Each structure stands twice: as structure tokens, then as C-alpha cells.
Amino acid sequence: PLGGAVYVYSSKFKVLSCAFRNNTVSSSSSTVAGGAIYVYNPPVGSIILVADSTFERNRAVSDEFSYHPAYGGAIGLTGSDSYTDYTSSCTLVIQRCAFNLNEAFSTADIYGGALGFYQSYGVAFDFALNVSDSSFSENRIRGSEYSDSSYLG
């Protein structure tokens, strides 16, 4: 399960003046990402714009008894995981947004309570992050004593 409200696959994408509240993506059998929005394999050189929007109480939750990662309580972003498409690159631009009380939970790896970026299968995923005039408050990553690692993003 990916993208609690929006799943974007290999496309350009803009979010303007939206509110994402109380969205959850969860699973006991696979990776979970993007409690509100998940972007997979954005076109090379693309710009993903998120502006004038609110992300509040969104969650990416991997079941307590599974061993799958969770990332991006609000927004999750992944490059291609294809062995034939060895590169993916994009720029995520966040302007005048508020990220409050978003969460990623897993007993495995955890990446980013608000924003989570993931590279898989050794694919070169080159991205830039440009954040301006935005706030991040009380976003968190949470795991059990069995969590391998956790990274803020």
C-alpha cells in the first residue's frame, strides 16, 4: 500500500492549496509509504511542486508484526526500482506548507515522519529538496525495540 490519499506513478505532479488530514496507509505484508501522497519513479528532471497546503495527522504504518519499512508519514518519494532503468531524478519543491503530527511507524526501517525518500535495488536516485516558508511540527518516526534503523527526513 502506497499513498493514503494520492498515488502518482511516473508522472509530473503539483499540489496547490490542498489539505491532507487523517490519511493512513498501512499493511502487514509490504512496504508502506506516503501517508497522504506517494510519488513513484518521477520523470527524469521533473519538478514536483507542493504549495500552500497542509499535512496533518497522516500516517504510514507497517503492521507491528511484519518486517517491512515505512517512510513518509505525509509524503513518500521513491525512484525507479527497475534493473533496466538505472537512474531517476527530480526536484521536490515545498512552499508555504505546514506539516503537523505526521508519523511513520515500523518494526523494520523507518524513514521520515513528514517526508520520506527511499532508494531501492541500488538504483541511482538523485533528487533535490527545496523547502521555503514552511513549518514542521511534532512529526515523528516510531518503532518498536525491534526496529533496525530510523532516519529523519
Side-chain angles (χ1 to χ4, degrees):
L2 304 163
V6 177
Y7 178 99
V8 179
Y9 179 82
S10 293
S11 297
K12 294 180 180 178
F13 183 67
K14 288 183 185 179
V15 174
L16 304 173
S17 301
C18 293
F20 294 91
R21 292 188 177 95
N22 300 311
N23 297 288
T24 299
V25 61
S26 64
S27 177
S28 60
S29 60
S30 65
T31 297
V32 294
I37 297 172
Y38 177 69
V39 180
Y40 173 76
N41 193 28
V44 172
S46 62
I47 295 174
I48 300 165
L49 174 64
V50 181
D52 302 307
S53 297
T54 301
F55 294 83
E56 186 173 274
R57 296 188 196 289
N58 299 290
R59 301 176 71 217
V61 179
S62 183
D63 182 270
E64 185 173 353
F65 300 104
S66 74
Y67 195 73
H68 298 283
Y71 60 98
I75 299 175
L77 179 64
T78 305
S80 172
D81 64 0
S82 166
Y83 287 109
T84 58
D85 181 13
Y86 294 105
T87 185
S88 182
S89 66
C90 72
T91 300
L92 175 59
V93 177
I94 297 174
Q95 300 172 336
R96 300 172 304 279
C97 291
F99 292 84
N100 304 307
L101 301 166
N102 299 289
E103 175 184 65
F105 171 85
S106 177
T107 55
D109 293 339
I110 314 162
Y111 307 90
L115 309 173
F117 310 99
Y118 184 73
Q119 173 182 330
S120 60
Y121 299 103
V123 173
F125 179 42
D126 180 28
F127 72 92
L129 174 63
N130 182 337
V131 179
S132 63
D133 301 318
S134 297
S135 64
F136 293 81
S137 175
E138 297 185 61
N139 299 288
R140 67 182 184 159
I141 53 174
R142 189 169 60 92
S144 74
E145 63 272 22
Y146 304 109
S147 296
D148 282 341
S149 56
S150 53
Y151 308 93
L152 287 175

